[in-house]
Amino acid sequence: MMQVQTLFEDELARRKIAWSIDAESGRHVIVCDEERLYVSLENLTRDVSTSGDTGKISRFVDTIIEARNTSIKPPSAERLFWNLEPNDYVEPPFYREAVSKHADRVLVHLSADGTLVSWATPELSDHQSQDG
């Protein structure tokens, strides 16, 4: 099976989405409307390796596009939740609390349509105080 990173980059090119690699973290960076989206392929690689479903890559890019579209909408405090996540990430989330040796409770924001889960960041808090 082709490497997930190559298929991901091919999908971005097919959709004419510009990207680069962040030198510090190794993540893909997609710039849209002066906003930088940092994308890790770790979970996607694990999912595709387990299932063999390379269609997940184009659906993942759909999710990134949705993130770009929803980033201009104001976040909602009612859509903040604590999510249990493995704590093997390269860069830890800003709002987290360890619950075991292998898992953290992470503050996330769920999009209005319920399809996109994003880690809450201080920027989200700043946006809330400007709007609310």
Side-chain angles (χ1 to χ4, degrees):
M1 176 170 29
M2 254 185 141
Q3 191 177 34
V4 169
Q5 180 175 342
T6 302
L7 293 171
F8 175 73
E9 291 169 358
D10 290 348
E11 184 68 19
L12 292 176
R14 187 181 70 73
R15 296 183 191 210
K16 297 178 178 34
I17 299 173
W19 59 273
S20 63
I21 300 289
D22 179 57
E24 273 187 50
S25 67
R27 292 178 293 175
H28 287 74
V29 180
I30 298 171
V31 179
C32 179
D33 300 326
E34 299 178 25
E35 183 178 352
R36 296 171 65 89
L37 298 173
Y38 289 81
V39 179
S40 171
L41 299 181
E42 286 183 49
N43 289 337
L44 178 62
T45 300
R46 189 171 26 245
D47 289 349
V48 171
S49 295
T50 302
S51 70
D53 180 8
T54 57
K56 289 184 178 209
I57 296 166
S58 65
R59 293 189 298 273
F60 184 67
V61 174
D62 291 340
T63 302
I64 292 168
I65 292 168
E66 178 63 22
R68 290 186 339 187
N69 294 338
T70 60
S71 67
I72 59 173
K73 297 175 186 171
S76 166
E78 294 81 28
R79 308 294 301 170
L80 288 173
F81 299 95
W82 288 103
N83 197 38
L84 203 61
E85 300 206 10
N87 59 12
D88 60 351
Y89 22 70
V90 173
E91 188 175 317
F94 191 82
Y95 300 109
R96 72 183 194 291
E97 181 178 327
V99 294
S100 78
K101 199 164 40 167
H102 302 286
D104 285 354
R105 188 172 70 155
V106 177
L107 187 62
V108 299
H109 185 265
L110 182 64
S111 65
D113 66 1
T115 61
L116 180 66
V117 177
S118 304
W119 287 351
T121 63
E123 291 80 20
L124 179 71
S125 301
D126 293 343
H127 193 52
Q128 283 285 46
S129 62
Q130 291 171 3
D131 292 337

